Amino acid sequence: MIIEERTYTALPGKWRDYLALYEAEGLAIQHRILGRMVGYYTTESGPLNQIVHLWAYTDLNERAALRAQLAANPDWQKYVARMLPLLQSQESKFLNPAPFFTPMWNEPKA
């Protein structure tokens, strides 16, 4: 299993707009397609205006297949067109869980 840590830096003052848009338009699509949200956070110290989210995948092949499915979704494309202008930068890291830790997540609600 791998965990993808995605860090989005919103334009100053726009992180609340990002979260509101994501909750209204992006969340349900990502949950339906990606499925395993491990966490979704905002920063309170250090670099500000950041949104950090974690997604679990069985491996990089599953990630590639699910991200391609997400990118091809017309509703996701509409959301992304509205969301990207709120961002200053995006970063992605792949994390491997320590041998003694099993990541947990809540399954999407039907």
Side-chain angles (χ1 to χ4, degrees), residues 4-96:
E4 181 177 15
E5 175 188 326
R6 297 180 71 93
T7 302
Y8 295 172
T9 302
L11 292 169
K14 295 295 184 181
W15 67 270
R16 287 180 186 89
D17 295 340
Y18 169 89
L19 288 177
L21 180 63
Y22 179 71
E23 185 176 14
E25 297 183 23
L27 176 62
I29 301 167
Q30 272 196 316
H31 265 272
R32 186 173 65 251
I33 295 172
L34 300 183
R36 297 184 205 107
M37 179 191 287
V38 178
Y40 219 95
Y41 308 94
T42 59
T43 55
E44 186 70 26
S45 62
L48 300 177
N49 300 306
Q50 289 191 330
I51 299 99
V52 179
H53 39 120
L54 307 169
W55 298 90
Y57 302 97
T58 56
D59 56 33
L60 290 174
N61 291 327
E62 181 191 46
R63 180 202 177 266
L66 292 176
R67 297 290 306 179
Q69 185 180 345
L70 183 65
N73 182 286
D75 291 330
W76 182 254
Q77 293 169 5
K78 289 176 195 171
Y79 162 73
V80 168
R82 296 188 59 204
M83 178 268 291
L84 284 178
L86 300 173
L87 299 184
Q88 180 175 314
S89 66
Q90 296 173 279
E91 180 182 351
S92 179
K93 295 179 188 176
F94 296 116
L95 309 172
N96 295 311

